[in-house]
């Protein structure tokens, strides 16, 4: 989903999902209270904020001046769940939604027009929620892609079955030039775009588990310098720690949205 403001004077023309497709292109948080959300993530992840073109209920989160994610304080207004959601680039949101429904998934919202594009909120046949975006990518999208501040992982019942489902939706491993590649690594499925791993799919989630952290879902990870400090900050600002190790912690924000912080890898 494109939350971004208009391009500054002299900026390069933006890419669109017609040239970048099938790969994760953005992550967004649906929340209830914009001010409370800004305060929590500023304290936990050190984010700054800028306005978004979609209106007063939307913001772009920045880390070190680079875009990280979009915030949409519309959960109550649009009767949507409070949650982090990954969006995938598609040439046609309507076609992607149709493909999902034809294969046993569901369309929760849309496709709807959100100038300069179209978006839909969908769920796969195991119930994991994700979005699709058709249209312009935001101004700093190449920066977002290259710095990879966010990473996504699908926890699902059967990784190989899920890879087939999503592959049919997004033309993964097809003959289409520039499509994403799928690689099988033990029990995991890796998704590569232009050679980079952009998502992982792993088996083990239980469809009917009472704990939502065990049910199939897409988990958004953010790279941080100090996992323990983020976990303590989350607790101090009304959130909670669901699990924690030296390398990563699964956190819940004060509004109930779940996300993961992962230790930033040091490049040598």
């Amino acid at each position: 989903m494109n939350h971004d403001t208009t391009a500054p004077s002299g900026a390069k023309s933006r890419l669109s999902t017609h040239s970048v497709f099938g790969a994760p292109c953005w992550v967004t948080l649906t929340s209830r209270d914009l001010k409370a959300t800004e305060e929590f993530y500023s304290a936990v992840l050190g984010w700054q904020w800028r306005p978004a073109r979609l209106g007063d209920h939307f913001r772009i989160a920045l880390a070190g001046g680079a875009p990280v994610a979009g915030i949409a304080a519309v959960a109550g207004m649009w009767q949507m769940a409070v949650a982090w959601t990954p969006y995938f680039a598609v040439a046609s949101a309507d076609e992607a939604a149709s493909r999902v429904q034809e294969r046993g998934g569901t369309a929760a919202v849309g496709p709807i027009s959100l100038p300069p594009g179209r978006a839909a909120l969908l769920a796969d046949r195991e119930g994991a929620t994700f979005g699709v975006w058709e249209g312009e990518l935001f101004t700093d999208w190449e920066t977002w892609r290259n710095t990879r501040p966010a990473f996504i992982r699908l926890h699902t019942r059967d990784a190989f079955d899920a890879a087939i489902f999503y592959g049919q939706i997004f033309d993964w491993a097809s003959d289409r030039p520039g499509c994403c590649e799928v690689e099988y690594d033990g029990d995991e499925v890796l998704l590569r775009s232009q050679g980079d791993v952009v998502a992982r799919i792993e088996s083990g989630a239980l469809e009917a588990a009472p704990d939502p952290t065990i049910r199939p879902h897409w988990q958004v990870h953010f790279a941080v310098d100090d996992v323990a400090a983020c976990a303590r900050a989350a607790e101090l600002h009304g959130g909670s720690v669901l699990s924690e190790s030296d390398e990563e912690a699964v956190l819940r924000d004060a509004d109930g949205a779940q996300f993961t912080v992962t230790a930033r890898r040091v490049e040598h």
Side-chain angles (χ1 to χ4, degrees):
M1 181 181 292
N2 187 336
H3 293 87
D4 206 12
T5 51
T6 54
S9 176
K12 296 180 181 178
S13 59
R14 280 182 291 231
L15 293 171
S16 81
T17 57
H18 293 277
S19 56
V20 178
F21 66 93
C25 65
W26 194 227
V27 294
T28 187
L29 170 63
T30 307
S31 75
R32 294 188 182 91
D33 185 322
L34 190 61
K35 186 174 185 295
T37 298
E38 288 180 343
E39 290 175 352
F40 178 87
Y41 286 95
S42 293
V44 175
L45 297 175
W47 288 352
Q48 302 86 42
W49 308 91
R50 73 181 184 206
R53 71 165 70 181
L54 292 179
D56 293 340
H57 296 287
F58 299 85
R59 291 290 187 275
I60 299 294
L62 306 171
V68 182
I71 308 298
V74 296
M77 183 169 55
W78 291 359
Q79 296 185 333
M80 296 172 66
V82 173
W84 279 102
T85 305
Y87 277 75
F88 292 82
V90 295
S92 169
D94 293 271
E95 182 180 346
S98 294
R99 289 183 179 185
V100 167
Q101 292 173 302
E102 288 167 0
R103 289 159 178 81
T106 57
V109 178
I112 57 174
S113 294
L114 291 172
R118 287 176 66 72
L121 186 64
L122 310 167
D124 66 24
R125 52 191 171 217
E126 302 295 335
T129 301
F130 64 100
V132 295
W133 171 252
E134 168 200 348
E136 290 182 353
L137 298 170
F138 62 91
T139 310
D140 299 327
W141 186 82
E142 287 284 15
T143 301
W144 183 82
R145 175 188 171 85
N146 292 336
T147 57
R148 291 193 289 280
F151 178 82
I152 62 172
R153 185 189 299 270
L154 175 62
H155 300 266
T156 190
R157 182 182 55 81
D158 185 324
F160 304 107
D161 182 66
I164 293 170
F165 173 87
Y166 285 94
Q168 292 174 338
I169 307 303
F170 298 128
D171 290 329
W172 293 349
S174 67
D175 294 332
R176 185 174 175 180
C179 71
C180 291
E181 299 173 353
V182 173
E183 176 183 326
Y184 297 94
D185 182 15
D187 293 333
E188 268 194 333
V189 178
L190 309 183
L191 180 67
R192 292 185 181 272
S193 176
Q194 299 179 18
D196 297 322
V197 177
V198 293
R200 293 175 182 266
I201 302 175
E202 66 175 29
S203 301
L206 301 176
E207 206 171 346
D211 184 347
T213 65
I214 299 174
R215 293 200 294 266
H217 67 282
W218 281 98
Q219 185 81 348
V220 177
H221 296 239
F222 296 105
V224 299
D225 293 322
D226 191 330
V227 170
C230 291
R232 302 293 79 75
E235 291 177 318
L236 287 172
H237 290 84
S240 57
V241 178
L242 302 182
S243 66
E244 184 178 356
S245 69
D246 291 340
E247 293 299 314
E248 70 176 37
V250 180
L251 309 178
R252 185 172 283 148
D253 69 19
D255 212 10
Q258 181 182 310
F259 63 102
T260 297
V261 292
T262 302
R264 194 186 310 276
R265 292 183 179 180
V266 178
E267 301 292 341
H268 296 287

